[in-house]
Amino acid sequence: MAGMNLNEQVDHLSGFLLRHRRVLVLTGAGLSTASGIPDYRDKDGVRRGRTPIQGPDFRKSEAVRRRYWARSMAGWPTLAQAAPNAGHQALAQLEAAGRIDALITQNVDGLHQRAGSSRLIELHGNIHGVICLDCRTLHRRADIQRWLVEANPALAASAAAGADSVVPEARPDGDAEIELNDLQDFHMPSCGDCGGTLQPDVIFFGDNIPAPRTAAALEMMEQADALLVVGSSLMVFSGYRFCKLAAASGKPIAAINLGKTRADELIGLKVEATASEVLPRLL
Ligand SMILES: [Zn+2]
């Protein structure tokens, strides 16, 4: 859309939504940055910061779990306080108005649900849930936080005070950026039902999306006649595959994203702006 001003680009996008009866929307981290949840990647799609937690390491190593829960405890308040932004609200309203058909998100922040989107698949899970790996009971992350703060008062106090040794920066997977000298004294949460090992109910890197969830998402793509990508560089295959599928069956693809995406050559209509700025103008 080079050479067009934002108004003209938004007009084209409006036309795209009107022309297609069943538009599937795929959202990524770029949508939630306006809610105060930082993106993993910069404009060129390059990962920044520390290597994320790997699922197999998390389950194998108590040290990795200890580090995760300590950082997660520090980063949780930011995630817990994040609220849906104008982009989330607009998507819920576009769905209610029948302008979009369904939504698939790569985000785990739960903000689409809170904004009121209903035909929704959270591809990578939801950080507000914690699952027991032994008995599969689903716990509320907010309850786990209460336990963590009570069991680790010193760390809770220094995190709240922003001490030099504990500098929380929330990450999308709940794994805050903090450096801790000694985690030996840190108390990890366990399942209140069976004493088992807890894991946030999200898909870590190195883990697979459950087959029924993938099947439901692919079904949504099958039923759609067009795809709109919002705030994703599509560097993760689980998102990119929807563009490949749409393109393979001749379904047009539009995108709202600041910076390049892995699927730029497949995208027919691209608006380079933030989602929270563009989406409300489609109403
Ligand atoms: Zn359990």
Side-chain angles (χ1 to χ4, degrees):
M1 305 281 281
M4 269 185 228
N5 68 34
L6 189 59
N7 279 333
E8 292 166 327
Q9 295 185 44
V10 169
D11 285 347
H12 278 271
L13 201 51
S14 274
F16 178 89
L17 292 189
L18 287 171
R19 272 198 309 281
H20 301 101
R21 212 169 48 83
R22 306 194 71 175
V23 177
L24 175 64
V25 179
L26 173 69
T27 68
L31 176 59
S32 289
T33 51
S35 292
I37 298 173
D39 198 344
Y40 277 119
R41 294 175 190 280
D42 64 19
K43 277 185 160 193
D44 294 319
V46 177
R47 173 174 293 285
R48 47 180 165 209
R50 189 169 38 77
T51 312
I53 293 267
Q54 302 285 316
D57 296 344
F58 181 94
R59 289 181 296 278
K60 242 185 337 226
S61 158
E62 187 180 311
V64 170
R65 288 198 294 279
R66 204 174 276 279
R67 195 196 73 173
Y68 173 84
W69 284 114
R71 288 179 159 150
S72 173
M73 181 182 118
W76 177 252
T78 304
L79 294 183
Q81 286 156 23
N85 63 55
H88 297 102
Q89 310 280 11
L91 286 171
Q93 289 171 44
L94 287 167
E95 183 191 356
R99 301 275 299 281
I100 66 172
D101 183 51
L103 221 155
I104 295 174
T105 187
Q106 300 173 283
N107 300 338
V108 299
D109 52 40
L111 294 179
H112 284 300
Q113 270 188 32
R114 282 181 51 199
S117 289
S118 61
R119 243 169 83 78
L120 167 70
I121 292 177
E122 294 173 312
L123 211 50
H124 298 157
N126 188 316
I127 196 73
H128 291 268
V130 174
I131 191 133
C132 173
L133 295 176
D134 298 292
C135 75
R136 310 308 295 179
T137 298
L138 188 65
H139 302 273
R140 293 177 61 241
R141 178 63 181 78
D143 294 340
I144 303 295
Q145 183 72 8
R146 210 166 300 124
W147 186 91
L148 278 167
V149 168
E150 276 174 27
N152 300 282
L155 180 58
S158 52
D164 283 351
S165 61
V166 186
V167 184
E169 186 204 320
R171 292 166 59 89
D173 61 359
D175 182 16
E177 288 282 1
I178 62 171
E179 295 309 328
L180 297 157
N181 297 329
D182 187 5
L183 286 178
Q184 290 314 305
D185 298 332
F186 180 75
H187 296 284
M188 272 199 294
S190 56
C191 176
D193 288 12
C194 78
T197 303
L198 297 179
Q199 179 181 310
D201 192 19
V202 300
I203 308 298
F204 281 132
F205 285 85
D207 285 342
N208 295 317
I209 297 166
R213 195 185 299 166
T214 299
L218 293 178
E219 173 76 18
M220 277 184 176
M221 185 67 251
E222 182 83 30
Q223 291 170 353
D225 55 14
L227 178 65
L228 171 62
V229 176
V230 176
S232 174
S233 56
L234 300 166
M235 291 299 164
V236 177
F237 182 74
S238 61
Y240 178 61
R241 74 185 301 182
F242 292 97
C243 290
K244 297 285 279 183
L245 286 168
S249 48
K251 296 171 182 175
I253 306 172
I256 305 167
N257 192 61
L258 267 182
K260 72 178 187 190
T261 82
R262 183 180 178 183
D264 276 354
E265 79 285 0
L266 304 176
I267 295 171
L269 194 169
K270 187 175 173 194
V271 179
E272 291 223 27
T274 63
S276 57
E277 180 183 10
V278 173
L279 287 169
R281 297 168 70 165
L282 296 172
L283 290 166

